[in-house]
Amino acid sequence: MKKSYLESVFFISLIFIFFLIYQNYKQPSARFQYEQFLVHEYEHIPQLSEEALDELPKPTRPDLAAIQNYFMTLDPKVKRVPSERLQVAFNETKSINKQKNSNTFAADIIWEEVPSNMAGRTRAFMIDPLDNSGNKAWAGSVTGGLWVNTDFKNNESPWMPVEGFWSNLVVSCIVSDPIDPNTFYVGTGEAQTAFTIYRESSGVGAGIWKTNNGGVNWELLLSTENFKYITDIRIRTEDGLSVIYACITSGVYKGLNHESMPTDGLYRSVDNGTNWEQVLPDIIGSDKPYTPADIEIGADGRIFIGSMRNIEDHGGATILFSDAGTIGSWTIIDDYVSIIENSTSEYNIPGRVILACAPSNPDIIYALIDVAWINQENGFKHSEGKYILKSTNKGQAWSAVNIPNEGSYYWASIGWHALAAAVDPNDENTVFVGGLDTYKSTNGGNSWRKVSDWTGMYYGVTDRYVHADIHKILFLNNSSNEMVITTDGGVFYTSSATQVQPAFEQKNNNYNSLQFYSCAMDPRAGTNIFIGGLQDNGTVRYAGSPISFNSRIDGGDGAYCFIDQNEPNILISSIYYNRYFFFSSDNFKFNTQAATYYQTGTFINPADYDDRLNTLYANATTFLNANKNKLLKVSGIPFTPQESLIQITSDVNVPFSHIAVSPHSPDNTSTLFAGTQSGRLFKVENAQNIPSTTEIGSTDFPTANISCVAVGASEDTLLVTFSNYGVSSVWQTFNGGQNWENIENNLPDMPIRWALYHPHNSNKAFLATEVGVWATEELKLENPTWIPLSNGLANVRVDMLQLRESDQTILAATHGRGLAYTQIPREESDDNNDPEKAFKAFPNPANNYVTISYDNTDAKKLQLIIYDPAGRMVFSEEKFNVKGLYLKSIDLTTFPIGIYIVNLIIDDHLISKKIIHQ
C-alpha cells in the first residue's frame, strides 16, 4: 500500500511538472510578445515605393522620423510615450545641478557650440516693442527654445539663446502686451505636429512663460501648466485693460491623448494670466468647445478664430468671430464643413484654418483651409491646403478664391504642418500665402505668383531662396516692403515685398537651433572638422566657418554619417532607408559616389563603419520585416562600393536598432555588436566574410530599444543603453556578457540615446540623454552616481556622442541646439602609470598619417625618431622641458609602404613601437 501511494504521488508530481513546463513553453516570452506588438504597429507606417519617394516635392519626411522616435521611446508596459515624465526629468536635473560639487570632474567640462548660420523649425517671431529701431527681434524654435537678436537685419548680428534650462524648449508663439511693452508671453507645445500619433517631431508644451522686464527674467504661469499645446496668443486692449486670449488645444502625441485642462478652447484672462475663462462655444452637435488653430484681431478689434480638428476628429474647417470676446458672443461660420464632408473626392475631412486680416480694411479677411483624406491601407491621414476663402464683410460671408497652381508640385502638400498667410498692411488686395513655398497675389486672390523657391540655392538663385515649409508670414512696422517668413530652416527677411519678385535674405546668424541625428569627427588632434546629419537640412560639414547652406554635402533628412579615421579625406553621409553618398576629397574638392540600397533598413537607419577595412555595416531589416535578421554590408568604399546582405541570426522579428564595430577587431576582420528594438544583443565575429553570431545580452535586459553599445578597453567591457521610458536604461558587463549589472541608479526616467567610455579611465562614462549629456566617474561602484554636464549645454535632447582620442574631444549632436564639443581634461589613469601604455601610435595600420601621443609627460628632454624598413631615420624631433600631453601628427604620404619603427626617448627611457604604413 505504501509503495503504491508513493508511486501515485510521484506520478502526479511528474504530471504537474510536465504541465508547468508545457505551460511555460506554450506561453510566449515577454520579449516575443513585445516584438509582436511592434510588428503590428509597423503595419500602420505609410509605405512609399522608391519611385514615390523620388517624386516627393522635397526629400524630407518629418512624419517618418517621428514614427521611428515613437518606437524608440515608448514605455513598453503602457505602450505609449509618457512625455509627462520628461517634466519630472527636467526638475530632477535642475535639483542635481544645484547640489553638484564644484570639485567633481564635471565642473571642468565646458561645452562650446559649433557656430551655425543655419536654423531649425521656427514658428514664433516678434519685433521687440521696446526697440524704437524695429530691429531687435525674438524667435522661437520648436526644439531649441527662445532666441533674441538685437539687430536681426544686420547679417553680422548674432542670435543668442535666451534660456537653455526651461523645463520646455518647444516654443510655438510669442506676443507682447500693448499697454505694458515690458511684458511678453511665450506659448509652448507644437500642436501642428502632435495631432496624429505619427506626425509629431517636437513635443508637448508646458504652458505659458512670462516676463515682466523685457525678457531678462522668465517664469512659468502656474495657471497654464495644464495647457498642453498653445497654438497662438493675442492681447487686445479692452476698457483700458490688456486682455489675453490663448488658443489651447489637445493632441495625440506619441501614443497618448494629451488633453489640455479643463478643455480645448480659447482662454481669456483679464488679470495678466492669473485666472482664465474658456469662451468659445461648443462644436455643433457636441458638448466640447471648438479647438482653435489661429487667432487674428481685425483692424476694428473684431476677434477671428480659425479652428482645427480636435482629438476626436471634430470641429475642423470652422471660422468664428466675436466683438466682445466673451462667452455667448460668437458667430459660427461652418459652411465649408458640409462642403468638404459632402465632397465626391477622397478629400473629405475638414482640417485646420489659418486666417489673415487686412490691417487697412476691417471688412477684408482671408482664410486658408486644410483638408484631409484617409489612406485606406494604413488609416493614415494625409492633408493639403484645398481652399483659400475671402470675406468682404467682416466675416459674415465667405467665398472661395483661386489657389496657387504655379510650379511642378502642390502649393501646400502638408497643410497640417506648414500653412501661413499675411495681408499687406496698406493694401487689402495684396496677400501672401505659404505652404511648401510662398505665393503672392496683388488682386485679392484671383491669381498668384510664386515668389520663393526652396530649391533656389541649388541653382544659384539665392535671392529667391526661402527654406521649405512656411510657418509664419509677418509684415513689419506697418511697412508694405518689410516682411519676415519663418520656416523649417529659420528666419528669412525681405525689404522689397512690393516688388514683383521680392529679394529674400536668410537671417540665421548663430541661430543654432539645428536638429541633428548624428555626427562624426576628423581624427586629427586639434582639427575641428565635423559632419552631422540633420532633420530637413541634409548632412553638413563644418571646417571652421559657421555652418551654412553651403556646408551641405547632401540634402533631405541627414541620417548616419562617418569620417574615415585612417583616411579622413573619406566621408560618408546618408539619407533615409540606406541611401548613401561616399566622398573622397582632394584639397576639399569632393568627388561623390552615390549608392542606393532602398528597401533595406529603417528611416534614420543605424550603421557603423570599419575604418580599417573601408566597410560599412548597417541594419537591413525594414519595419515590415523584409531582409529579416540581416545586415547590409558595403565594401570598397569610397570608389567601388559593393553591397551584400549578410545573415547574422534567425529568430529576431524586429529591425536592429544599433550597430557598433568593435575597435578591438582582429586584423582583416570585423567584429560587430548588434542590438535590436526588443532588447536582444548579439556579438558578430568575422562579419566581413562568414559571420559567426553569439547572443550575449541578458534575460534581465528590458524589452526595449537598444540605443547604443559602447566598447571599453577590451571587448569584455561593454556599456549598453536603452532609449525607452519606463525601463532600466544603462547596463554594464566586465566579462563580455556573461554577467550584466543595471547601473542606471539616479538617472531620471528618460530616453538614453548614446554612450561613451572615457578613453583613459574605465571608471568614467558619458551618456547622451533627452536632457543633455550626463556622466559618472563611479562605474566600478554598484550604484554609480550620474551627474549632468550642463556647462554650456542646454536641457536639450542629444542623439549621439563621438570621441576623438587624439586630443580627448567629445562631439555632441543635439536635436535642437546644433553641435557642441568639449575636451575632457587630462588625468592620471592606469595607462599613464605604465609608460608602454601611455605611448600610443594611431591609427595603426595607417594610410595617410599617424599620430604619436604620450600622456602624462614630465621630461627634461623628449626625442621622437622614426626608422624605415631599411633602418634609415626618416623623421626626428627633439623637445625640452615637456609637460602634460605630447602629441605629434606625421604625414606618411611621402613614405614608402612598409613597417616602421617609432622610438620615443623620455629622458633616458626608450619606448619602441611598430607602425604599418599601408
Side-chain angles (χ1 to χ4, degrees):
M1 275 300 282
K2 187 175 181 180
K3 182 178 180 181
S4 176
Y5 172 76
L6 292 175
E7 287 176 343
S8 297
V9 171
F10 174 76
F11 182 71
I12 292 170
S13 299
L14 195 61
I15 291 175
F16 181 69
I17 291 170
F18 276 113
F19 174 76
L20 290 179
I21 293 173
Y22 172 75
Q23 285 296 105
N24 187 58
Y25 174 78
K26 183 179 177 182
Q27 179 67 34
S29 69
R31 206 174 303 279
F32 177 80
Q33 289 178 322
Y34 184 62
E35 288 183 347
Q36 294 305 110
F37 160 75
L38 292 177
V39 168
H40 175 72
E41 289 293 294
Y42 294 155
E43 294 173 356
H44 300 292
I45 297 175
Q47 300 299 315
L48 295 178
S49 66
E50 185 171 8
E51 292 76 16
L53 283 169
D54 287 337
E55 291 174 0
L56 288 173
K58 63 189 184 74
T60 58
R61 291 299 302 271
D63 52 333
L64 292 181
I67 293 172
Q68 189 161 349
N69 192 53
Y70 163 71
F71 292 122
M72 289 172 62
T73 58
L74 65 84
D75 184 320
K77 292 181 180 178
V78 299
K79 304 298 190 294
R80 64 173 178 84
V81 176
S83 55
E84 67 275 9
R85 298 182 199 169
L86 190 56
Q87 180 70 43
V88 177
F90 278 124
N91 293 338
E92 291 179 15
T93 304
K94 186 175 181 179
S95 176
I96 293 173
N97 267 325
K98 287 182 178 179
Q99 301 170 15
K100 196 161 54 178
N101 187 338
S102 61
N103 293 322
T104 65
F105 79 104
D108 296 324
I109 295 177
I110 300 174
W111 295 94
E112 183 174 343
E113 286 190 356
V114 172
S116 173
N117 295 334
M118 289 177 69
R121 186 158 65 254
T122 301
R123 294 191 182 273
F125 186 92
M126 182 185 77
I127 294 295
D128 193 310
L130 298 170
D131 180 53
N132 294 328
S133 72
N135 295 330
K136 183 177 180 180
W138 302 79
S141 160
V142 296
T143 52
L146 186 65
W147 296 69
V148 65
N149 191 324
T150 58
D151 187 7
F152 87 98
K153 299 173 193 175
N154 179 353
N155 291 334
E156 302 301 316
S157 179
W159 290 93
M160 301 300 293
V162 173
E163 172 60 77
F165 300 98
W166 286 3
S167 59
N168 192 288
L169 297 179
V170 187
V171 174
S172 58
C173 50
I174 182 172
V175 69
S176 64
D177 189 325
I179 294 178
D180 179 8
N182 282 290
T183 300
F184 310 160
Y185 298 87
V186 169
T188 61
E190 191 187 20
Q192 295 85 350
T193 49
F195 180 73
T196 306
I197 184 172
Y198 292 143
R199 280 190 168 167
E200 57 78 17
S201 50
S202 58
V204 180
I208 297 173
W209 290 80
K210 178 182 179 181
T211 177
N212 290 317
N213 54 13
V216 177
N217 303 108
W218 295 83
E219 63 178 357
L220 178 67
L221 288 176
L222 295 180
S223 60
T224 69
E225 61 183 351
N226 290 322
F227 292 171
K228 298 302 182 182
Y229 301 96
I230 297 96
T231 54
D232 206 357
I233 305 174
R234 289 288 185 272
I235 301 177
R236 189 174 73 155
T237 302
E238 301 176 12
D239 298 326
L241 292 177
S242 294
V243 179
I244 312 168
Y245 292 88
C247 296
I248 309 303
T249 76
S250 301
V252 181
Y253 176 76
K254 293 184 177 179
L256 175 68
N257 287 355
H258 289 274
E259 297 192 38
S260 287
M261 301 298 288
T263 64
D264 289 10
L266 181 67
Y267 282 79
R268 181 176 188 263
S269 175
V270 298
D271 54 11
N272 302 311
T274 301
N275 296 285
W276 299 85
E277 180 182 34
Q278 199 294 112
V279 296
L280 285 186
D282 289 343
I283 301 167
I284 294 174
S286 168
D287 60 355
K288 295 182 178 179
Y290 282 94
T291 298
D294 190 20
I295 177 173
E296 298 295 330
I297 298 177
D300 61 352
R302 174 168 285 186
I303 302 172
F304 294 89
I305 295 293
S307 77
M308 62 189 289
R309 301 193 312 273
N310 64 16
I311 57 177
E312 296 174 344
D313 266 355
H314 299 149
T318 302
I319 301 168
L320 303 95
F321 66 82
S322 168
D323 293 319
T326 55
I327 296 173
S329 66
W330 295 87
T331 298
I332 301 172
I333 307 295
D334 60 355
D335 302 358
Y336 275 80
V337 174
S338 58
I339 292 173
I340 293 167
E341 290 178 340
N342 294 326
S343 171
T344 56
S345 75
E346 58 187 353
Y347 287 88
N348 57 12
I349 302 174
R352 70 172 177 144
V353 179
I354 296 298
L355 301 165
C357 297
S360 62
N361 186 344
D363 290 333
I364 305 298
I365 309 101
Y366 296 85
L368 282 54
I369 301 182
D370 177 61
V371 182
W373 65 279
I374 296 179
N375 185 325
Q376 297 301 325
E377 294 182 1
N378 52 37
F380 198 72
K381 291 186 180 70
H382 304 262
S383 68
E384 294 180 352
K386 280 294 185 181
Y387 295 96
I388 298 179
L389 309 182
K390 181 180 180 180
S391 174
T392 59
N393 58 3
K394 298 178 61 173
Q396 296 286 348
W398 297 79
S399 58
V401 298
N402 293 320
I403 61 174
N405 59 10
E406 180 184 351
S408 59
Y409 45 79
Y410 197 79
W411 77 281
S413 55
I414 48 176
W416 55 272
H417 173 68
L419 205 61
V423 184
D424 184 318
N426 304 298
D427 180 1
E428 65 198 53
N429 290 312
T430 297
V431 57
F432 288 78
V433 298
L436 192 58
D437 285 314
T438 313
Y439 299 80
K440 176 184 179 180
S441 173
T442 57
N443 53 20
N446 290 327
S447 62
W448 299 90
R449 174 183 171 83
K450 184 178 175 183
V451 293
S452 78
D453 190 343
W454 69 271
T455 67
M457 290 289 278
Y458 294 102
Y459 304 107
V461 189
T462 57
D463 60 353
R464 290 196 67 182
Y465 171 68
V466 173
H467 195 286
D469 297 347
I470 311 300
H471 300 303
K472 202 170 192 65
I473 305 173
L474 306 93
F475 283 91
L476 307 183
N477 307 317
N478 292 317
S479 168
S480 298
N481 273 312
E482 288 196 279
M483 187 172 69
V484 159
I485 301 176
T486 70
T487 74
D488 263 19
V491 178
F492 293 78
Y493 168 79
T494 181
S495 60
S496 58
T498 57
Q499 298 297 313
V500 173
Q501 178 54 62
F504 293 98
E505 299 177 80
Q506 297 186 64
K507 298 298 180 183
N508 294 321
N509 182 15
N510 199 51
Y511 187 18
N512 202 356
S513 51
L514 294 172
Q515 299 168 306
F516 279 93
Y517 295 120
S518 64
C519 62
M521 266 192 296
D522 189 292
R524 291 166 288 190
T527 305
N528 284 345
I529 295 176
F530 311 137
I531 61 173
L534 283 161
Q535 189 275 325
D536 208 10
N537 280 292
T539 300
V540 294
R541 177 179 180 270
Y542 170 77
S545 299
I547 294 171
S548 68
F549 187 93
N550 294 328
S551 304
R552 300 183 359 153
I553 59 176
D554 68 26
D557 284 309
Y560 277 57
C561 59
F562 306 95
I563 298 178
D564 192 301
Q565 300 295 286
N566 291 329
E567 302 170 272
N569 62 313
I570 297 175
L571 277 64
I572 301 171
S573 71
S574 67
I575 58 175
Y576 44 69
Y577 300 121
N578 278 332
R579 294 175 171 215
Y580 288 93
F581 298 90
F582 306 121
F583 303 87
S584 60
S585 65
D586 179 12
N587 195 26
F588 304 117
K589 294 180 181 179
F590 285 92
N591 302 306
T592 307
Q593 175 74 44
T596 296
Y597 310 110
Y598 185 66
Q599 301 296 356
T600 64
T602 53
F603 190 71
I604 303 299
N605 193 61
D608 203 3
Y609 177 65
D610 191 328
D611 311 88
R612 301 166 308 118
L613 304 182
N614 296 92
T615 300
L616 177 80
Y617 298 93
N619 165 60
T621 309
T622 69
F623 283 124
L624 295 186
N625 252 341
N627 309 311
K628 184 177 177 181
N629 295 296
K630 293 181 180 180
L631 300 183
L632 169 70
K633 182 185 78 172
V634 186
S635 58
I637 296 170
F639 299 113
T640 56
Q642 297 177 334
E643 78 279 2
S644 61
L645 295 178
I646 57 175
Q647 184 99 21
I648 66 167
T649 186
S650 61
D651 60 345
V652 176
N653 298 302
V654 292
F656 295 99
S657 54
H658 183 75
I659 309 296
V661 175
S662 171
H664 310 295
S665 299
D667 290 344
N668 301 314
T669 69
S670 296
T671 298
L672 311 179
F673 294 96
T676 76
Q677 293 179 348
S678 59
R680 297 180 67 181
L681 178 62
F682 300 91
K683 182 177 181 179
V684 184
E685 297 175 281
N686 200 35
Q688 83 297 334
N689 190 6
I690 303 175
S692 172
T693 304
T694 306
E695 186 162 5
I696 62 170
S698 170
T699 56
D700 293 331
F701 276 2
T703 55
N705 185 86
I706 291 179
S707 55
C708 188
V709 180
V711 184
S714 74
E715 290 176 359
D716 286 338
T717 302
L718 304 173
L719 195 65
V720 175
T721 61
F722 293 81
S723 59
N724 299 73
Y725 284 97
V727 304
S728 300
S729 55
V730 188
W731 294 74
Q732 183 171 242
T733 181
F734 291 112
N735 54 17
Q738 297 179 43
N739 304 100
W740 291 90
E741 296 177 357
N742 169 17
I743 58 170
E744 181 182 56
N745 195 25
N746 68 314
L747 281 170
D749 183 6
M750 60 184 176
I752 310 299
R753 297 179 181 269
W754 208 265
L756 286 178
Y757 277 107
H758 190 289
H760 300 301
N761 189 330
S762 57
N763 207 27
K764 294 182 179 181
F766 306 86
L767 302 177
T769 82
E770 206 76 359
V771 189
V773 178
W774 291 59
T776 186
E777 53 183 346
E778 301 176 346
L779 278 179
K780 294 178 182 177
L781 299 182
E782 184 176 351
N783 293 304
T785 298
W786 298 90
I787 54 177
L789 304 181
S790 54
N791 291 337
L793 190 69
N795 284 344
V796 66
R797 164 180 153 185
V798 180
D799 279 28
M800 184 180 286
L801 298 172
Q802 292 294 339
L803 171 71
R804 179 166 61 208
E805 189 170 348
S806 60
D807 59 2
Q808 299 197 148
T809 295
I810 293 179
L811 180 65
T814 83
H815 200 75
R817 283 292 183 88
L819 295 173
Y821 63 97
T822 187
Q823 273 194 297
I824 309 169
R826 291 282 166 176
E827 59 179 51
E828 285 287 342
S829 70
D830 294 339
D831 285 356
N832 294 340
N833 293 330
D834 182 343
E836 297 291 336
K837 291 182 178 180
F839 177 28
K840 293 182 171 62
F842 54 89
N844 192 13
N847 295 92
N848 296 331
Y849 75 96
V850 66
T851 296
I852 309 298
S853 73
Y854 185 79
D855 210 350
N856 200 35
T857 306
D858 188 4
K860 294 180 180 178
K861 182 179 178 181
L862 179 149
Q863 291 176 279
L864 174 65
I865 305 171
I866 301 178
Y867 297 94
D868 70 7
R872 295 183 294 264
M873 184 174 68
V874 293
F875 179 88
S876 68
E877 179 175 89
E878 188 174 77
K879 287 184 172 295
F880 298 91
N881 298 318
V882 180
K883 295 184 180 295
L885 174 67
Y886 170 74
L887 207 62
K888 184 68 178 181
S889 289
I890 300 167
D891 186 355
L892 299 179
T893 56
T894 60
F895 291 13
I897 291 173
I899 298 175
Y900 291 77
I901 303 297
V902 181
N903 285 348
L904 188 68
I905 305 171
I906 307 295
D907 292 330
D908 295 324
H909 183 73
L910 171 65
I911 315 170
S912 291
K913 279 189 181 296
K914 291 181 180 179
I915 60 171
I916 301 172
H917 175 32
Q918 62 182 17

